Amino acid sequence: MEMEGKVALVSGASRRIGAAVATGLGARGAAVVVNYLSNKERAEEVAARVEAAGGRALPIAADVRDRSAVKGMVDEAVSVFGGLDILVNNARTPHPTRPILELDWEEDMLSQLQIHLGGAFHLCQEAIPHMKRRGGGAIVNMLSISFRRGNYLSHAYGPAKAALRSFTMSLATELGEYGIRVNSASPATTAPERADDARRERLIAQTPLGRIATPEEVADSVIYLCSDAARFVTGVDLQIAGGRDMAF
């Protein structure tokens, strides 16, 4: 229970990696805000798993693109749990996978920047003052290995994640003096909920470890970045990809 007494907020926590991170933090003793956009039932199921694992949980609906909604969520979290120590920016929406000439700037490109960079920006601005009052904290911004390589299916998603990586490094530089560590995590595709055998085999063939990660395996690495075990780690991007897309 090494995170007992810590308070964490995980955006986009109602499913898959976000849900696994929330549950893993709860299993280590943290109180966890389970943020979700619209699926209340699924968020409440995650909250129940957090509590069953030994933590405390508070599901809160908020669109991270809406600054007032983010402020309300953080204020409620601090009111209920007494502060905020950990922020995991994981919220996302489906991204377009079309060629450049078929994309629209506002509907496709700007919408991805708003959810990934804008959502993290709003949450960080609201969370950081509370972390300063607690004497430090940890922020993890969820990226993807896809932003490191050219892929015409990621015209909107990749640049949004690249912007979030730059934001991560800037924050790490500014906030170190306050004991706030800021890192990012870049997972590969996790085990798909639905995938044909051909796609599954293709993903496995591209991965030196010879399998696809589960959300829980990704969550363990994210939780490491949130923990005191990573107390001298800031500004890094941790690739959680089983060896896919290795880079110097």
Side-chain angles (χ1 to χ4, degrees), residues 143-149 184-188 218 221 225 236-248:
L143 306 184
S144 166
I145 61 170
S146 65
F147 90 92
R148 293 182 174 277
R149 54 193 169 95
S184 59
S186 291
V218 173
S221 294
L225 291 175
V236 307
D237 180 53
L238 179 59
Q239 295 185 54
I240 315 167
R244 282 182 62 190
D245 292 346
M246 284 184 276
F248 177 72

Side-chain angles (χ1 to χ4, degrees), residues 72-127:
M73 174 171 60
V74 172
D75 287 348
E76 183 177 356
V78 171
S79 176
V80 172
F81 291 138
L84 188 61
D85 306 284
I86 295 167
L87 172 63
V88 179
N89 287 306
N90 179 68
R92 57 175 295 171
T93 58
H95 64 90
T97 56
R98 302 189 302 277
I100 183 64
L101 297 182
E102 297 177 15
L103 295 177
D104 177 82
W105 171 252
E106 291 188 353
E107 291 185 7
D108 298 319
M109 302 295 290
L110 187 57
S111 67
Q112 287 295 297
L113 285 167
Q114 287 172 331
I115 187 69
H116 296 293
L117 181 60
F121 177 83
H122 295 323
L123 276 160
C124 285
Q125 280 205 327
E126 292 298 330

Side-chain angles (χ1 to χ4, degrees), residues 52-206:
R56 292 184 293 162
L58 178 66
I60 303 180
D63 187 338
V64 300
R65 295 166 292 192
D66 181 342
R67 181 58 179 268
S68 63
V70 168
K71 183 180 187 308
M73 174 171 60
V74 172
D75 287 348
E76 183 177 356
V78 171
S79 176
V80 172
F81 291 138
L84 188 61
D85 306 284
I86 295 167
L87 172 63
V88 179
N89 287 306
N90 179 68
R92 57 175 295 171
T93 58
H95 64 90
T97 56
R98 302 189 302 277
I100 183 64
L101 297 182
E102 297 177 15
L103 295 177
D104 177 82
W105 171 252
E106 291 188 353
E107 291 185 7
D108 298 319
M109 302 295 290
L110 187 57
S111 67
Q112 287 295 297
L113 285 167
Q114 287 172 331
I115 187 69
H116 296 293
L117 181 60
F121 177 83
H122 295 323
L123 276 160
C124 285
Q125 280 205 327
E126 292 298 330
I128 287 167
H130 297 288
M131 292 182 177
K132 286 182 177 180
R133 282 193 282 272
R134 303 271 273 195
I139 299 170
V140 179
N141 295 322
M142 296 302 298
L143 306 184
S144 166
I145 61 170
S146 65
F147 90 92
R148 293 182 174 277
R149 54 193 169 95
N151 184 343
Y152 83 91
L153 298 179
S154 296
H155 281 315
Y157 182 68
K161 290 299 192 184
L164 185 54
R165 174 61 190 148
S166 179
F167 183 57
T168 299
M169 292 186 289
S170 296
L171 281 177
T173 302
E174 177 183 352
L175 299 178
E177 66 177 292
Y178 303 105
I180 300 172
R181 298 180 298 100
V182 189
N183 295 291
S184 59
S186 291
T189 303
T190 54
E193 293 174 324
R194 294 179 296 275
D196 57 47
D197 290 341
R199 184 187 178 213
R200 186 180 299 275
E201 290 304 313
R202 185 167 61 253
L203 290 172
I204 291 172
Q206 295 170 351

